[in-house]
Amino acid sequence: MFAADEASRALGITLVEAGDGRAVATMTITASMVNGHDIAHGGYVFLLADTAFACACNTHGPVTVAAGAEISFVAAGRLGDHLVATATERTRYGRNGIYDVTVHRETLAGPEVVAEFRGRSRVISGKRDEA
């Protein structure tokens, strides 16, 4: 799925790993991602978290999409920050699922949380080529 995701790849998002309801994606904040307050635009942070969420919920096989999501911004991202989004499956029930994503920046002192994201997924077909 990620190989066909032009939006995420065009922004420099890299899929580090994905499997069994989990995924890790990274992105570096560039000058075009900084808003008028000189901090990372929240939409880009959301997009990174959403990409990790999408990759995690699609590890089970059927085509799965977002049914909804919310994000809480904990700290501002800055130009040059290398952000890491780690998505973890909380539960799946029927065609639905809940996934949590933590987005952090890497610092010399260790990871610093930038945002917490919760996504709700919905299976829409049994196979990738049916979508």
Side-chain angles (χ1 to χ4, degrees):
M1 181 207 79
F2 184 77
D5 184 347
E6 291 292 330
S8 296
R9 290 186 301 113
L11 291 172
I13 294 176
T14 302
L15 180 62
V16 177
E17 65 179 82
D20 198 27
R22 185 176 189 288
V24 178
T26 64
M27 177 181 78
T28 300
I29 300 298
T30 65
S32 65
M33 298 174 179
V34 175
N35 67 20
H37 296 295
D38 204 30
I39 59 176
H41 189 291
Y44 290 105
V45 178
F46 186 98
L47 192 142
L48 173 63
D50 187 51
T51 297
F53 160 56
C55 291
C57 67
N58 276 280
T59 60
H60 298 293
V63 174
T64 305
V65 297
E70 63 182 49
I71 193 165
S72 295
F73 298 107
V74 177
R78 304 270 180 211
L79 179 64
D81 280 353
H82 183 70
L83 301 181
V84 178
T86 303
T88 306
E89 181 180 278
R90 305 309 301 159
T91 189
R92 284 190 304 148
Y93 53 101
R95 293 174 33 198
N96 305 292
I98 298 173
Y99 293 77
D100 287 335
V101 183
T102 297
V103 178
H104 74 269
R105 82 173 110 237
E106 298 177 338
T107 71
L108 294 176
E112 181 178 310
V113 175
V114 171
E116 292 289 344
F117 171 107
R118 174 157 277 191
R120 297 178 314 281
S121 67
R122 178 81 172 165
V123 172
I124 60 169
S125 73
K127 297 180 191 168
R128 296 239 179 269
D129 54 357
E130 291 176 14

